[in-house]
């Protein structure tokens, strides 16, 4: 309620509230049972085993969820479901999710994670080409916008400029690649995708992504979003630059994605993951980068997120780290579907989410005007994620590994 009152006060003093803040609007979300119980929400279905329910909520209730989650030292803790899902489908959404969760749990217990990776000198070379200074200049540029809010005045200003920049990078490379803009029904903001077609098995897709929107808890205030998530966006661009420079077309198709409107419930990524599933696309692996700039648990220490991720792919992250990156891996969990990997996970695709620290050690300034480049930012730290990403793209883009369960 405190946030609600404050943001109302701000909107009265500064002008009209932005459209996404319309308190009459409702959305259907999936959230944790502790939130449902604490706020006495009225779910259509619940599943006690995985501790999740589906509930239709007003924007005012979304505010209450935010407030409760912040008090519990975590972020929002919910995920918006796709538009147009009928109530009678809610049951099957939860049972699908339960099946996915159980499949991963079983694999974890039996350790059927496949063979360990072997050393590849080309990956070593690529990793050494990742340059922290390039990441710095991208983060400087992205965080220079007043906001990248999906319902702000110019939701696509950064999208357009980024498209231009990506096209120039591709034009300068000998690799075949193209940029596509993805529109969404629920938001004006677009997502971006770079496709590098595979030579041998183009129908097998390796996805590397992160969101490039930003948000301020008080909506109308600026949201530079340097850490959340200009940083992950830029670590990905640097990995892409190295691939384009090395100039070797992958065997599988590699797709880099920058998602719209993550900050209001993973909208861009859930649209995309949903449509990939609907059209039976063979997504082998998904890497999510969200927050890479703040070394909350120490330089070159990262959290290998254990929830809403595939144990097989987490192991690959671990192996790539040991072989090429030499960061220190920590176990971490968000406790809810905290970023776009959850959209892919929900569709049954293997996802991994290495992030800047453990969840508890992560940057507390996100979603505020203070999420800027500061003395606590480290571009060497952000470079480690570019290294993991380029290793991920080459390893999975060229071999025939697949989640073995
Ligand atoms: N980058 C955050 C998620 C995050 C926060 C990861 C802290 C690790 C540590 C992301 O942009 C975000 O804010 N997600 C929302 C959830 C979404 C479903 C609205 C959040 O956590 O509030
Ligand atoms: Zn965020």
């Amino acid at each position: 309620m405190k946030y609600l009152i404050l943001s109302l006060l701000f909107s009265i003093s500064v002008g009209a509230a932005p459209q996404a803040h319309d308190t009459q609007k409702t959305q259907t979300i999936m959230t944790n049972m502790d939130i449902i119980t604490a706020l006495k929400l009225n779910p259509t279905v619940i599943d006690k085993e995985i501790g999740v329910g589906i509930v239709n909520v007003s924007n005012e209730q979304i505010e209450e969820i935010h407030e409760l989650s912040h008090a519990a030292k975590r972020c929002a803790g919910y995920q918006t479901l796709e538009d147009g899902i009928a109530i009678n489908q809610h049951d099957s959404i939860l049972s699908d999710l339960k099946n996915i969760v159980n499949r991963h749990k079983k694999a974890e217990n039996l350790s059927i994670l496949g063979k360990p990776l072997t050393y590849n000198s080309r990956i070593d070379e690529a990793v050494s080409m990742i340059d922290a200074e390039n990441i710095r200049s991208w983060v400087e540029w992205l965080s220079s916008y007043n906001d990248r809010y999906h319902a702000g005045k110019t939701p696509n200003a950064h999208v357009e400029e980024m498209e231009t920049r990506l096209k120039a990078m591709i034009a300068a490379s000998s690799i075949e690649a193209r940029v596509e803009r993805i529109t969404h029904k629920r938001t004006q903001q677009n997502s971006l995708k770079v496709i590098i077609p595979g030579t041998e098995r183009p129908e097998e897709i390796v996805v590397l992504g992160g969101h490039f929107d930003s948000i301020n808890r008080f909506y109308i205030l600026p949201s530079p979003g340097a850490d959340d998530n200009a940083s992950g966006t830029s670590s990905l661009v640097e990995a892409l630059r190295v691939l384009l420079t090395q100039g070797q077309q992958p065997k599988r198709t590699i797709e880099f994605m920058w998602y719209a409107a993550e900050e209001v419930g993973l909208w861009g990524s859930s649209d995309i993951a949903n449509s990939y599933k609907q059209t039976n696309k063979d997504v082998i692996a998904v890497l999510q980068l969200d927050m890479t700039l703040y070394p909350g648990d120490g330089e070159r220490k990262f959290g290998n997120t254990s929830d809403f991720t595939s144990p097989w792919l987490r192991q690959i992250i671990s192996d790539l780290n040991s072989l090429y990156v030499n960061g220190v891996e920590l176990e971490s969990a968000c406790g809810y579907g905290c970023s776009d990997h959850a959209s892919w996970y929900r569709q049954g695709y293997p996802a991994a989410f290495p992030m800047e620290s453990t969840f508890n050690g992560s940057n507390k300034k996100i979603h505020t005007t203070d999420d800027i480049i500061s003395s606590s930012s480290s571009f060497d730290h952000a470079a480690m994620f570019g290294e993991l990403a380029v290793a991920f793209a080459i390893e999975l883009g060229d071999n025939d590994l697949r989640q073995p369960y």
Side-chain angles (χ1 to χ4, degrees), residues 346-364:
R346 249 189 67 209
Q347 302 300 337
Y349 292 125
F353 176 31
M355 57 165 279
E356 64 189 15
S357 63
T358 56
F359 183 71
N360 287 337
S362 68
N363 193 344
K364 300 295 175 289

Side-chain angles (χ1 to χ4, degrees), residues 303-307 330-336 338 355 357-360:
N304 196 356
T305 307
S306 61
D307 53 353
L330 308 168
E331 209 205 286
S332 173
C334 286
Y336 61 100
C338 63
M355 57 165 279
S357 63
T358 56
F359 183 71
N360 287 337

Side-chain angles (χ1 to χ4, degrees), residues 88-350:
N88 62 13
Q89 291 172 276
H90 290 182
D91 243 342
S92 73
I93 289 175
L94 278 198
S95 66
D96 285 354
L97 181 64
K98 181 152 74 182
N99 287 340
I100 293 165
V101 170
N102 285 338
R103 183 152 51 89
H104 288 297
K105 258 197 206 148
K106 209 161 139 193
E108 205 164 34
N109 291 338
L110 298 175
S111 297
I112 42 171
L113 300 183
K115 50 180 193 277
L117 304 182
T118 50
Y119 177 78
N120 170 350
S121 61
R122 194 190 137 210
I123 299 183
D124 226 0
E125 183 199 54
V127 163
S128 71
M129 288 163 74
I130 294 287
D131 184 342
E133 287 312 302
N134 289 334
I135 300 178
R136 180 196 301 274
S137 62
W138 275 83
V139 175
E140 277 171 359
W141 164 61
L142 280 160
S143 60
S144 71
Y145 289 89
N146 176 69
D147 63 81
R148 304 184 302 279
Y149 185 47
H150 86 103
K153 283 201 187 105
T154 53
N156 287 313
H158 66 288
V159 182
E160 272 151 34
E161 172 65 17
M162 182 143 159
E163 185 179 15
T164 307
R165 288 173 176 226
L166 291 171
K167 282 185 173 157
M169 281 168 62
I170 290 169
S173 162
S174 58
I175 280 193
E176 182 201 342
R178 62 180 192 277
V179 187
E180 277 179 15
R181 200 106 153 215
I182 301 165
T183 58
H184 303 285
K185 288 209 185 87
R186 275 180 292 191
T187 173
Q188 299 276 333
Q189 193 169 63
N190 300 157
S191 298
L192 275 182
K193 163 161 99 165
V194 167
I195 302 165
I196 309 177
T199 50
E200 286 181 14
R201 283 161 281 137
E203 68 292 345
E204 299 180 1
I205 305 172
V206 176
V207 172
L208 294 90
H211 71 93
F212 61 172
D213 65 319
S214 71
I215 200 167
N216 191 302
R217 299 190 179 139
F218 302 122
Y219 299 98
I220 48 150
L221 293 183
S223 48
D227 190 18
D228 188 10
N229 181 30
S231 66
T233 299
S234 307
S235 296
L236 288 167
V237 173
E238 180 58 3
L240 171 65
R241 183 195 68 80
V242 169
L243 289 183
L244 294 174
T245 307
Q246 268 198 338
Q248 200 164 311
Q249 201 78 29
K251 296 191 173 111
R252 286 170 163 160
T253 296
I254 298 177
E255 297 190 350
F256 281 82
M257 298 189 188
W258 292 275
Y259 308 110
E262 183 267 357
E263 297 286 11
V264 285
L266 318 179
W267 290 0
S269 59
S270 65
D271 254 15
I272 296 172
N274 203 37
S275 90
Y276 273 44
K277 184 70 188 182
Q278 295 298 314
T279 52
N280 284 321
K281 289 209 186 189
D282 187 12
V283 178
I284 301 292
V286 177
L287 179 75
Q288 173 71 7
L289 291 188
D290 184 2
M291 300 170 68
T292 65
L293 191 58
Y294 175 79
D297 291 308
E299 288 275 343
R300 291 184 77 90
K301 293 187 177 175
F302 70 95
N304 196 356
T305 307
S306 61
D307 53 353
F308 295 88
T309 55
S310 147
W312 166 70
L313 212 49
R314 291 203 301 270
Q315 183 61 47
I316 288 191
I317 294 291
S318 238
D319 290 355
L320 291 172
N321 177 54
S322 312
L323 282 170
Y324 311 105
V325 178
N326 292 316
V328 175
E329 179 187 325
L330 308 168
E331 209 205 286
S332 173
C334 286
Y336 61 100
C338 63
S339 191
D340 303 296
H341 59 294
S343 298
W344 294 97
Y345 181 88
R346 249 189 67 209
Q347 302 300 337
Y349 292 125

